[in-house]
Amino acid sequence: ELTSALVHIKLHLFIQIFTLAFFPATIWLFLQLLSITPINEWLLKGLQTVGCMPPPVSSAVILTKAVGGNEAAAIFNSAFGSFLVSKHDLTLLFYLLL
């Protein structure tokens, strides 16, 4: 089942772009609005950090299974996203938290 999930390139591309680009950018915009409030700066930086992290494999699989989704795709995307975070999101966080 995992090998058949690998061929869904458009699905994986959509999920990775959403998780690693769209969601962190949306969080960053939201935090720009919150930065004009008296909320502690370090709390906002912590929220930005969490916003750049992919969901854990266990959560992705449990939530996907609960709604009857493609578990194999969830496992692949969560594991692949965790691998990409070590390369992509560390650089992204560096620039966002300056």
Side-chain angles (χ1 to χ4, degrees):
E1 193 172 336
L2 271 175
T3 54
S4 66
L6 292 176
V7 297
H8 300 290
I9 303 298
K10 289 181 183 177
L11 171 69
H12 303 312
L13 189 61
F14 172 76
I15 291 172
Q16 296 304 323
I17 289 172
F18 183 84
T19 304
L20 300 177
F22 176 77
F23 192 71
T26 304
I27 293 294
W28 181 80
L29 286 172
F30 178 65
L31 292 176
Q32 295 306 303
L33 293 173
L34 287 179
S35 68
I36 60 174
T37 66
I39 295 176
N40 186 315
E41 172 188 359
W42 288 101
L43 180 60
L44 297 177
K45 288 183 179 189
L47 289 171
Q48 182 66 61
T49 303
V50 171
C52 289
M53 297 170 67
V57 176
S58 58
S59 296
V61 173
I62 290 169
L63 293 173
T64 303
K65 189 174 191 174
V67 297
N70 187 341
E71 294 175 52
I75 292 169
F76 172 79
N77 280 300
S78 208
F80 188 64
S82 295
F83 170 75
L84 288 178
V85 163
S86 65
K87 307 294 182 211
H88 171 268
D89 277 4
L90 296 178
T91 306
L92 180 64
L93 275 174
F94 175 75
Y95 288 110
L96 289 176
L97 294 178
L98 285 177

PDB file of all heavy atoms in Angstrom, residues 41-70:
ATOM      1  N   GLU A  41       7.181  39.081  22.952  1.00  0.00           N
ATOM      2  CA  GLU A  41       7.872  38.802  21.681  1.00  0.00           C
ATOM      3  C   GLU A  41       8.318  37.343  21.590  1.00  0.00           C
ATOM      4  O   GLU A  41       8.263  36.733  20.521  1.00  0.00           O
ATOM      5  CB  GLU A  41       9.084  39.722  21.574  1.00  0.00           C
ATOM      6  CG  GLU A  41       9.988  39.418  20.411  1.00  0.00           C
ATOM      7  CD  GLU A  41      11.278  40.218  20.451  1.00  0.00           C
ATOM      8  OE1 GLU A  41      11.469  41.022  21.380  1.00  0.00           O
ATOM      9  OE2 GLU A  41      12.095  40.012  19.544  1.00  0.00           O
ATOM     10  N   TRP A  42       8.751  36.762  22.705  1.00  0.00           N
ATOM     11  CA  TRP A  42       9.232  35.376  22.687  1.00  0.00           C
ATOM     12  C   TRP A  42       8.099  34.384  22.489  1.00  0.00           C
ATOM     13  O   TRP A  42       8.280  33.319  21.903  1.00  0.00           O
ATOM     14  CB  TRP A  42      10.026  35.050  23.950  1.00  0.00           C
ATOM     15  CG  TRP A  42      11.343  35.756  23.913  1.00  0.00           C
ATOM     16  CD1 TRP A  42      11.698  36.896  24.563  1.00  0.00           C
ATOM     17  CD2 TRP A  42      12.472  35.378  23.111  1.00  0.00           C
ATOM     18  NE1 TRP A  42      12.976  37.250  24.230  1.00  0.00           N
ATOM     19  CE2 TRP A  42      13.478  36.337  23.340  1.00  0.00           C
ATOM     20  CE3 TRP A  42      12.712  34.347  22.219  1.00  0.00           C
ATOM     21  CZ2 TRP A  42      14.711  36.269  22.725  1.00  0.00           C
ATOM     22  CZ3 TRP A  42      13.949  34.276  21.605  1.00  0.00           C
ATOM     23  CH2 TRP A  42      14.923  35.234  21.858  1.00  0.00           C
ATOM     24  N   LEU A  43       6.917  34.729  22.955  1.00  0.00           N
ATOM     25  CA  LEU A  43       5.748  33.892  22.701  1.00  0.00           C
ATOM     26  C   LEU A  43       5.425  33.882  21.209  1.00  0.00           C
ATOM     27  O   LEU A  43       5.136  32.830  20.621  1.00  0.00           O
ATOM     28  CB  LEU A  43       4.544  34.388  23.501  1.00  0.00           C
ATOM     29  CG  LEU A  43       3.245  33.612  23.331  1.00  0.00           C
ATOM     30  CD1 LEU A  43       3.425  32.168  23.758  1.00  0.00           C
ATOM     31  CD2 LEU A  43       2.135  34.264  24.111  1.00  0.00           C
ATOM     32  N   LEU A  44       5.519  35.031  20.572  1.00  0.00           N
ATOM     33  CA  LEU A  44       5.274  35.115  19.137  1.00  0.00           C
ATOM     34  C   LEU A  44       6.325  34.331  18.349  1.00  0.00           C
ATOM     35  O   LEU A  44       6.004  33.657  17.364  1.00  0.00           O
ATOM     36  CB  LEU A  44       5.248  36.574  18.684  1.00  0.00           C
ATOM     37  CG  LEU A  44       4.132  37.433  19.283  1.00  0.00           C
ATOM     38  CD1 LEU A  44       4.266  38.876  18.820  1.00  0.00           C
ATOM     39  CD2 LEU A  44       2.776  36.878  18.965  1.00  0.00           C
ATOM     40  N   LYS A  45       7.581  34.394  18.776  1.00  0.00           N
ATOM     41  CA  LYS A  45       8.632  33.617  18.104  1.00  0.00           C
ATOM     42  C   LYS A  45       8.397  32.119  18.283  1.00  0.00           C
ATOM     43  O   LYS A  45       8.653  31.330  17.374  1.00  0.00           O
ATOM     44  CB  LYS A  45      10.010  34.008  18.635  1.00  0.00           C
ATOM     45  CG  LYS A  45      10.444  35.368  18.163  1.00  0.00           C
ATOM     46  CD  LYS A  45      11.835  35.718  18.639  1.00  0.00           C
ATOM     47  CE  LYS A  45      12.219  37.086  18.110  1.00  0.00           C
ATOM     48  NZ  LYS A  45      13.614  37.405  18.360  1.00  0.00           N
ATOM     49  N   GLY A  46       7.900  31.724  19.445  1.00  0.00           N
ATOM     50  CA  GLY A  46       7.573  30.321  19.671  1.00  0.00           C
ATOM     51  C   GLY A  46       6.439  29.849  18.782  1.00  0.00           C
ATOM     52  O   GLY A  46       6.468  28.746  18.239  1.00  0.00           O
ATOM     53  N   LEU A  47       5.433  30.692  18.613  1.00  0.00           N
ATOM     54  CA  LEU A  47       4.324  30.353  17.712  1.00  0.00           C
ATOM     55  C   LEU A  47       4.805  30.233  16.270  1.00  0.00           C
ATOM     56  O   LEU A  47       4.354  29.363  15.529  1.00  0.00           O
ATOM     57  CB  LEU A  47       3.223  31.401  17.819  1.00  0.00           C
ATOM     58  CG  LEU A  47       2.407  31.397  19.110  1.00  0.00           C
ATOM     59  CD1 LEU A  47       1.498  32.614  19.168  1.00  0.00           C
ATOM     60  CD2 LEU A  47       1.609  30.120  19.229  1.00  0.00           C
ATOM     61  N   GLN A  48       5.740  31.098  15.872  1.00  0.00           N
ATOM     62  CA  GLN A  48       6.284  31.014  14.517  1.00  0.00           C
ATOM     63  C   GLN A  48       7.047  29.707  14.334  1.00  0.00           C
ATOM     64  O   GLN A  48       6.943  29.055  13.301  1.00  0.00           O
ATOM     65  CB  GLN A  48       7.214  32.194  14.236  1.00  0.00           C
ATOM     66  CG  GLN A  48       7.764  32.191  12.834  1.00  0.00           C
ATOM     67  CD  GLN A  48       6.682  32.405  11.800  1.00  0.00           C
ATOM     68  OE1 GLN A  48       6.028  33.436  11.797  1.00  0.00           O
ATOM     69  NE2 GLN A  48       6.469  31.461  10.928  1.00  0.00           N
ATOM     70  N   THR A  49       7.792  29.314  15.349  1.00  0.00           N
ATOM     71  CA  THR A  49       8.542  28.065  15.281  1.00  0.00           C
ATOM     72  C   THR A  49       7.605  26.865  15.137  1.00  0.00           C
ATOM     73  O   THR A  49       7.816  26.002  14.288  1.00  0.00           O
ATOM     74  CB  THR A  49       9.419  27.900  16.534  1.00  0.00           C
ATOM     75  OG1 THR A  49      10.284  29.036  16.637  1.00  0.00           O
ATOM     76  CG2 THR A  49      10.240  26.639  16.480  1.00  0.00           C
ATOM     77  N   VAL A  50       6.565  26.830  15.950  1.00  0.00           N
ATOM     78  CA  VAL A  50       5.601  25.724  15.878  1.00  0.00           C
ATOM     79  C   VAL A  50       4.873  25.735  14.540  1.00  0.00           C
ATOM     80  O   VAL A  50       4.582  24.685  13.970  1.00  0.00           O
ATOM     81  CB  VAL A  50       4.612  25.800  17.060  1.00  0.00           C
ATOM     82  CG1 VAL A  50       3.473  24.813  16.898  1.00  0.00           C
ATOM     83  CG2 VAL A  50       5.338  25.541  18.363  1.00  0.00           C
ATOM     84  N   GLY A  51       4.609  26.915  14.000  1.00  0.00           N
ATOM     85  CA  GLY A  51       3.924  27.022  12.715  1.00  0.00           C
ATOM     86  C   GLY A  51       4.746  26.496  11.550  1.00  0.00           C
ATOM     87  O   GLY A  51       4.200  26.191  10.496  1.00  0.00           O
ATOM     88  N   CYS A  52       6.050  26.395  11.715  1.00  0.00           N
ATOM     89  CA  CYS A  52       6.924  25.901  10.640  1.00  0.00           C
ATOM     90  C   CYS A  52       7.199  24.408  10.735  1.00  0.00           C
ATOM     91  O   CYS A  52       7.906  23.863   9.896  1.00  0.00           O
ATOM     92  CB  CYS A  52       8.256  26.651  10.662  1.00  0.00           C
ATOM     93  SG  CYS A  52       8.108  28.351  10.118  1.00  0.00           S
ATOM     94  N   MET A  53       6.665  23.757  11.744  1.00  0.00           N
ATOM     95  CA  MET A  53       6.937  22.337  11.930  1.00  0.00           C
ATOM     96  C   MET A  53       5.843  21.488  11.282  1.00  0.00           C
ATOM     97  O   MET A  53       4.664  21.850  11.342  1.00  0.00           O
ATOM     98  CB  MET A  53       7.015  22.016  13.428  1.00  0.00           C
ATOM     99  CG  MET A  53       8.149  22.739  14.123  1.00  0.00           C
ATOM    100  SD  MET A  53       8.069  22.597  15.908  1.00  0.00           S
ATOM    101  CE  MET A  53       8.369  20.874  16.115  1.00  0.00           C
ATOM    102  N   PRO A  54       6.228  20.359  10.680  1.00  0.00           N
ATOM    103  CA  PRO A  54       5.192  19.476  10.114  1.00  0.00           C
ATOM    104  C   PRO A  54       4.496  18.703  11.230  1.00  0.00           C
ATOM    105  O   PRO A  54       5.036  18.573  12.330  1.00  0.00           O
ATOM    106  CB  PRO A  54       6.005  18.528   9.224  1.00  0.00           C
ATOM    107  CG  PRO A  54       7.319  18.438   9.903  1.00  0.00           C
ATOM    108  CD  PRO A  54       7.566  19.810  10.474  1.00  0.00           C
ATOM    109  N   PRO A  55       3.292  18.194  10.955  1.00  0.00           N
ATOM    110  CA  PRO A  55       2.621  17.395  11.981  1.00  0.00           C
ATOM    111  C   PRO A  55       3.370  16.091  12.224  1.00  0.00           C
ATOM    112  O   PRO A  55       3.968  15.529  11.310  1.00  0.00           O
ATOM    113  CB  PRO A  55       1.238  17.131  11.388  1.00  0.00           C
ATOM    114  CG  PRO A  55       1.399  17.325   9.924  1.00  0.00           C
ATOM    115  CD  PRO A  55       2.508  18.305   9.738  1.00  0.00           C
ATOM    116  N   PRO A  56       3.371  15.607  13.454  1.00  0.00           N
ATOM    117  CA  PRO A  56       4.019  14.318  13.732  1.00  0.00           C
ATOM    118  C   PRO A  56       3.350  13.180  12.958  1.00  0.00           C
ATOM    119  O   PRO A  56       2.158  13.246  12.648  1.00  0.00           O
ATOM    120  CB  PRO A  56       3.832  14.118  15.233  1.00  0.00           C
ATOM    121  CG  PRO A  56       3.298  15.388  15.761  1.00  0.00           C
ATOM    122  CD  PRO A  56       2.792  16.207  14.630  1.00  0.00           C
ATOM    123  N   VAL A  57       4.116  12.160  12.659  1.00  0.00           N
ATOM    124  CA  VAL A  57       3.597  11.030  11.890  1.00  0.00           C
ATOM    125  C   VAL A  57       2.398  10.412  12.595  1.00  0.00           C
ATOM    126  O   VAL A  57       1.375  10.126  11.973  1.00  0.00           O
ATOM    127  CB  VAL A  57       4.704   9.978  11.652  1.00  0.00           C
ATOM    128  CG1 VAL A  57       4.140   8.756  10.947  1.00  0.00           C
ATOM    129  CG2 VAL A  57       5.845  10.579  10.854  1.00  0.00           C
ATOM    130  N   SER A  58       2.487  10.233  13.896  1.00  0.00           N
ATOM    131  CA  SER A  58       1.394   9.578  14.623  1.00  0.00           C
ATOM    132  C   SER A  58       0.100  10.382  14.530  1.00  0.00           C
ATOM    133  O   SER A  58      -0.969   9.820  14.297  1.00  0.00           O
ATOM    134  CB  SER A  58       1.784   9.370  16.087  1.00  0.00           C
ATOM    135  OG  SER A  58       2.105  10.611  16.690  1.00  0.00           O
ATOM    136  N   SER A  59       0.181  11.690  14.687  1.00  0.00           N
ATOM    137  CA  SER A  59      -1.029  12.519  14.590  1.00  0.00           C
ATOM    138  C   SER A  59      -1.611  12.487  13.191  1.00  0.00           C
ATOM    139  O   SER A  59      -2.826  12.409  13.019  1.00  0.00           O
ATOM    140  CB  SER A  59      -0.701  13.967  14.955  1.00  0.00           C
ATOM    141  OG  SER A  59      -0.285  14.057  16.287  1.00  0.00           O
ATOM    142  N   ALA A  60      -0.744  12.566  12.184  1.00  0.00           N
ATOM    143  CA  ALA A  60      -1.222  12.551  10.806  1.00  0.00           C
ATOM    144  C   ALA A  60      -1.951  11.243  10.495  1.00  0.00           C
ATOM    145  O   ALA A  60      -3.006  11.243   9.868  1.00  0.00           O
ATOM    146  CB  ALA A  60      -0.059  12.744   9.842  1.00  0.00           C
ATOM    147  N   VAL A  61      -1.395  10.139  10.951  1.00  0.00           N
ATOM    148  CA  VAL A  61      -2.006   8.838  10.672  1.00  0.00           C
ATOM    149  C   VAL A  61      -3.322   8.679  11.433  1.00  0.00           C
ATOM    150  O   VAL A  61      -4.323   8.242  10.865  1.00  0.00           O
ATOM    151  CB  VAL A  61      -1.033   7.693  11.009  1.00  0.00           C
ATOM    152  CG1 VAL A  61      -1.712   6.342  10.896  1.00  0.00           C
ATOM    153  CG2 VAL A  61       0.178   7.750  10.097  1.00  0.00           C
ATOM    154  N   ILE A  62      -3.340   9.065  12.688  1.00  0.00           N
ATOM    155  CA  ILE A  62      -4.552   8.917  13.500  1.00  0.00           C
ATOM    156  C   ILE A  62      -5.686   9.766  12.932  1.00  0.00           C
ATOM    157  O   ILE A  62      -6.820   9.289  12.775  1.00  0.00           O
ATOM    158  CB  ILE A  62      -4.275   9.296  14.969  1.00  0.00           C
ATOM    159  CG1 ILE A  62      -3.386   8.232  15.614  1.00  0.00           C
ATOM    160  CG2 ILE A  62      -5.567   9.454  15.755  1.00  0.00           C
ATOM    161  CD1 ILE A  62      -2.844   8.622  16.968  1.00  0.00           C
ATOM    162  N   LEU A  63      -5.391  11.017  12.596  1.00  0.00           N
ATOM    163  CA  LEU A  63      -6.438  11.897  12.069  1.00  0.00           C
ATOM    164  C   LEU A  63      -6.897  11.450  10.680  1.00  0.00           C
ATOM    165  O   LEU A  63      -8.091  11.527  10.355  1.00  0.00           O
ATOM    166  CB  LEU A  63      -5.949  13.340  12.038  1.00  0.00           C
ATOM    167  CG  LEU A  63      -5.703  13.972  13.413  1.00  0.00           C
ATOM    168  CD1 LEU A  63      -5.048  15.336  13.269  1.00  0.00           C
ATOM    169  CD2 LEU A  63      -7.002  14.073  14.195  1.00  0.00           C
ATOM    170  N   THR A  64      -5.965  10.982   9.868  1.00  0.00           N
ATOM    171  CA  THR A  64      -6.328  10.496   8.531  1.00  0.00           C
ATOM    172  C   THR A  64      -7.191   9.251   8.632  1.00  0.00           C
ATOM    173  O   THR A  64      -8.183   9.100   7.905  1.00  0.00           O
ATOM    174  CB  THR A  64      -5.069  10.207   7.700  1.00  0.00           C
ATOM    175  OG1 THR A  64      -4.292  11.404   7.631  1.00  0.00           O
ATOM    176  CG2 THR A  64      -5.408   9.743   6.314  1.00  0.00           C
ATOM    177  N   LYS A  65      -6.839   8.354   9.542  1.00  0.00           N
ATOM    178  CA  LYS A  65      -7.612   7.123   9.731  1.00  0.00           C
ATOM    179  C   LYS A  65      -9.016   7.448  10.254  1.00  0.00           C
ATOM    180  O   LYS A  65     -10.002   6.821   9.844  1.00  0.00           O
ATOM    181  CB  LYS A  65      -6.882   6.203  10.702  1.00  0.00           C
ATOM    182  CG  LYS A  65      -7.468   4.834  10.811  1.00  0.00           C
ATOM    183  CD  LYS A  65      -6.607   3.945  11.685  1.00  0.00           C
ATOM    184  CE  LYS A  65      -7.048   2.520  11.586  1.00  0.00           C
ATOM    185  NZ  LYS A  65      -6.139   1.621  12.312  1.00  0.00           N
ATOM    186  N   ALA A  66      -9.117   8.448  11.119  1.00  0.00           N
ATOM    187  CA  ALA A  66     -10.411   8.811  11.708  1.00  0.00           C
ATOM    188  C   ALA A  66     -11.400   9.307  10.655  1.00  0.00           C
ATOM    189  O   ALA A  66     -12.610   9.107  10.805  1.00  0.00           O
ATOM    190  CB  ALA A  66     -10.219   9.882  12.779  1.00  0.00           C
ATOM    191  N   VAL A  67     -10.905   9.930   9.594  1.00  0.00           N
ATOM    192  CA  VAL A  67     -11.814  10.443   8.557  1.00  0.00           C
ATOM    193  C   VAL A  67     -11.854   9.543   7.330  1.00  0.00           C
ATOM    194  O   VAL A  67     -12.456   9.893   6.323  1.00  0.00           O
ATOM    195  CB  VAL A  67     -11.451  11.895   8.149  1.00  0.00           C
ATOM    196  CG1 VAL A  67     -11.609  12.837   9.315  1.00  0.00           C
ATOM    197  CG2 VAL A  67     -10.074  11.971   7.554  1.00  0.00           C
ATOM    198  N   GLY A  68     -11.185   8.394   7.396  1.00  0.00           N
ATOM    199  CA  GLY A  68     -11.222   7.446   6.286  1.00  0.00           C
ATOM    200  C   GLY A  68     -10.353   7.833   5.114  1.00  0.00           C
ATOM    201  O   GLY A  68     -10.655   7.487   3.979  1.00  0.00           O
ATOM    202  N   GLY A  69      -9.263   8.545   5.377  1.00  0.00           N
ATOM    203  CA  GLY A  69      -8.375   8.998   4.306  1.00  0.00           C
ATOM    204  C   GLY A  69      -7.315   7.970   3.946  1.00  0.00           C
ATOM    205  O   GLY A  69      -7.318   6.834   4.432  1.00  0.00           O
ATOM    206  N   ASN A  70      -6.405   8.365   3.099  1.00  0.00           N
ATOM    207  CA  ASN A  70      -5.328   7.505   2.606  1.00  0.00           C
ATOM    208  C   ASN A  70      -4.198   7.487   3.634  1.00  0.00           C
ATOM    209  O   ASN A  70      -3.381   8.405   3.694  1.00  0.00           O
ATOM    210  CB  ASN A  70      -4.835   8.036   1.258  1.00  0.00           C
ATOM    211  CG  ASN A  70      -3.844   7.127   0.602  1.00  0.00           C
ATOM    212  OD1 ASN A  70      -3.229   6.279   1.238  1.00  0.00           O
ATOM    213  ND2 ASN A  70      -3.653   7.316  -0.692  1.00  0.00           N
TER     214      ASN A  70
END
